[in-house]
Amino acid sequence: MTDPLLLSGEVDAATDRLLRTAARFDAAELAAASLLPGWTRGHVLAHLARNADGLVNLLTAARTGEDVPMYASATARETDIATGASRPPEAHLDDLRRCADRFAGAVAAMPVEAWAATVRGRRGPLPAATLVWGRLREVEVHHVDLAADYRPADWSEPFAHRLLHEVTAGLADRPDAPAMVLRFDGARHRLAVGTPEHAPTITGPAAELAAWLTGRSDGRTLTVVPDGALPQPPEWM
């Protein structure tokens, strides 16, 4: 699911798609609202660029054994995004290209044994082997957040399935997560959150279920049995 060597090609392809979208924006379009409250498209692109550099820091930590944090601080991260958001279109595009190259170079420089390291992510320790998946997830989900005709339905089936399983697993220990059963892939597969007995069953494509659980869709294309309103999933973290 998170093999970095298998996923690096997917990151390259997702980045190419993102760059094609970003290349279409003029200054007014960059200043327009994204799907994320309070963020413009420029904020989303600035975040994606700094996320790549933060992951390069973690790959460096895994490769060298040094304790390199993802970001200098939470304040520095927020400041970099805020100050980078209003840059002109060509600056955003150049930054995205350069940081993508740095990330690809850092992945290529990783010896096999370094993928077994544990690094200090923004929310705590995590395996270095998950960093490439983390970048793919950021690019694909935030590409949707740009509100520029890239939708969850455009996600590949493997990506949608990985994201759905990850988000569902993350709800397992959350007391604010409602009990529910998720059916996808023609209703052949199911995932349970909480106690499935008497819980509603929500059915739809994996991408639409993942989009709903991550707050990227209102779930209107999903079906609920027994008939009724969709449960309210907690905010995706």
Side-chain angles (χ1 to χ4, degrees), residues 126-151:
L126 72 160
T130 65
L131 296 177
V132 177
W133 160 250
R135 180 58 181 172
L136 179 62
R137 183 185 59 221
E138 289 290 302
V139 171
E140 289 286 60
V141 172
H142 287 311
H143 195 167
V144 171
D145 291 333
L146 289 172
D149 297 326
Y150 190 78
R151 299 179 174 86

Side-chain angles (χ1 to χ4, degrees), residues 151-168:
R151 299 179 174 86
D154 296 312
W155 291 337
S156 70
E157 278 294 313
F159 174 81
H161 281 254
R162 283 194 295 265
L163 180 61
L164 178 59
H165 279 80
E166 180 181 76
V167 175
T168 304

Side-chain angles (χ1 to χ4, degrees), residues 9 25 51 77 86 92 100 114 131 169 172 182:
F25 295 144
N51 170 262
R77 172 184 175 272
S86 58
H92 273 292
L131 296 177
L182 308 175

